[in-house]
Amino acid sequence: MGELHTWAGVVLGVLLFAVFWTGSLSVFDKEIDRWMMPSTRLHWDDSMQRPSLDRDIRLLLEQRAANAPVWTIILPLERTPFLTLTYGSEESRKSSRDLFNPITLEPLAKPLTLGASGFIYPFHHNLTLRYKNIGAWLVGIAGMAMLCLLVSGVVIHRKLFSEFFTLRLHRAFGRSTLDVHNVAGVALLPFHLLITLSGLIVAFAIYYPDAPQHTYREQVQSGVSAERAFLGEALGRIRLRAAKQPGELAPLEPMVTKAEQYWGPGSVYLLRVNNPKDANGNVLLRRTSHSSVTKDIDNFRFASVSGEVIGRFQASATVNTWNFIAGLHYIQFRHDALRWLYFLGGLGGCVVIATGLFFWTQARRKKQQRHGHLGVSLLDTLSVAGVCGVILATLAFLLANRWLPMQEQLFGLGRARVEILSFYALWLVASAHAVWRVMQDPRLGYLHAWREQCTAIALLAVLAVLANWLTTGDHLLATLRSGNGPVAGTDLCLLAAAALALLAAHKLRRRVPQEETLEVAHV
Amino acid sequence: MHLRDVIQPAATATHVVGLCALAYFASAQLVGLSGLLAWWAGMSQGDAVMLALMLGFIYLLVLLLWGFSCERRRNAWLLLGGLSLLAWGTPLLLQGHP
């Protein structure tokens, strides 16, 4: 168990850190979106009058995508305070997306960014490596390794209870690092078990694609895909074919009223009109998951021409168990305090992973360097590049968002793509810096690398706050005064990150002479 | 450098990767078998598969922890291999029932 804990952590620690870091940020993905998309910094609450579906929204759809085979209407919510209309084909439902002010129905300026929900969140679950789900598999392997690390950690730390109360920050670096690793690991163990296991379970279709094959054998023999039959029965995902005959779409408001008679007022947040101009078209209504932990997948389906109910899907108790687990991971429920706890728990995971990596290198440094082994130098480099590198890359993403000119095309690429390239480019530079520092001085280069990158984090975080002020006029005092929580919160978190990074850089600066003295004493 | 210095880490790496793959294969077969058994026990098809899928990650975790804590590598391979074979073959032998 000890070896499993050590090597799973060493081999997959850096990947796990990136997943936990982006996962923690994804807790506030929609709030970071408000920071990155100034045109969407609006206010909405449930007491406000929704735009009329038939009078206002349908007109917008007819003007913009009269012949699209699918219309999706996402009504404004507190965390997404704008109206979203998407038009696309059955295969690609997000091919075109427009945002509108929910009160005036004026189109909002195109954000020209994927934002946190379009880049940081996908990075968290698939590393943006979508080809054959390679990224999702890597994240899955890291997730399973995390579960093994948590269980094996409990087994190898026999004095778990006493370790929980042992935190000696002023002792030697190795000792204090291990104490932080143990205390954070033990205190957050239930949260980390829950979040890791739920993260794997929500992506079951990727990790166990053949699961329905035996149970749905009869359907397979009659030519129906087992996966499709399972998704239809368990999750209500069905597709109805178009009749290829013209049809007139019935009013949408009565459909919403009908569904809300069962679900409660204001509970419908999404309408999907499949084949709006076809005689066999249908309208799917989904309800929000704001008032419960369980992710709600229930839906109503109406015939688009007659407006009659043609189907109502209600998840079974077993499927709702999965929905509950998924809801625990997706955090779509409305509870700010819990959201902050999730965020802090995720950052705690980052601390556990990073301190685990430090402890491994600290414990082996002298022995391996005496024998000329490269293991410690390699892990020093990976730790700096993996921990500071991904934080710097995130800051580069935010800075690029604020500093790049608001043009659809930049350097021959879409603006959103240039932001993503900035993320990877700075990560690459941070990695090269770590390699250079560690190679330059295998004994103490890692300390210089940590210190310099911590300083860079502090600098970029402050620059991001300034960039937001200069490009939008929304400085911190103004956003605090106006109650613009998402933007003020993001700025405050950036300033807190800068302060912590400066503190770390300061402590590392004091540590270099101490290490040099120790080295001389050993010689 | 001795040949042993190369062979030993290579053998360890092969053991680790192979055992992970075998544990995953065994868990995937157990998921299929569990779904089938739950369906036969009276659950609806969708519920049976969903239950089995949620259990799959627990199976995998237990198999990995058990496999890597085995003192003899051969035992881990034999038992995980045997379990995989059993979980893979049972539905094929029994299918045709309701």
Side-chain angles (χ1 to χ4, degrees), chain A residues 466-482:
Chain A
L466 286 174
N468 176 49
W469 177 9
L470 295 174
T471 54
T472 65
D474 288 345
H475 59 80
L476 186 56
L477 287 178
T479 49
L480 282 173
R481 206 178 302 129
S482 64

Side-chain angles (χ1 to χ4, degrees), chain B residues 4-30:
Chain B
R4 195 180 51 192
D5 294 339
V6 178
I7 290 176
Q8 208 167 347
T12 303
T14 310
H15 169 69
V16 170
V17 174
L19 205 66
C20 286
L22 188 56
Y24 169 72
F25 180 74
S27 73
Q29 300 314 309
L30 283 171

Side-chain angles (χ1 to χ4, degrees), chain A residues 1 4 137 144 147-148 151-152 197 200-201 203-204 206-209 211-212 214-219 230 233-235 316-319 321-322 325, chain B residues 24 27-29 31-33 35-36 39 43-51 53-54 56-58 60-61 64-65 68-69 88 91-92 95 97-98:
Chain A
M1 281 287 180
L4 176 65
W137 274 100
M144 192 42 77
L147 284 179
C148 291
V151 177
S152 57
L197 186 60
L200 289 166
I201 287 176
F204 66 78
I206 293 171
Y207 304 129
Y208 290 116
H214 290 309
T215 313
Y216 285 88
R217 197 181 176 92
E218 285 168 18
Q219 286 88 334
F230 165 63
E233 183 187 343
L235 307 183
S316 67
T318 310
V319 174
T321 308
W322 177 76
I325 293 169
Chain B
Y24 169 72
S27 73
Q29 300 314 309
V31 166
L33 179 60
L36 199 60
W39 179 42
M43 287 183 111
S44 70
Q45 284 170 302
D47 282 358
V49 173
M50 189 57 93
L51 175 68
L53 279 165
M54 289 190 282
F57 297 96
I58 309 282
L60 180 55
L61 177 62
L64 282 171
L65 289 172
F68 283 111
S69 52
W88 171 76
L92 297 178
Q95 210 121 46
H97 293 270

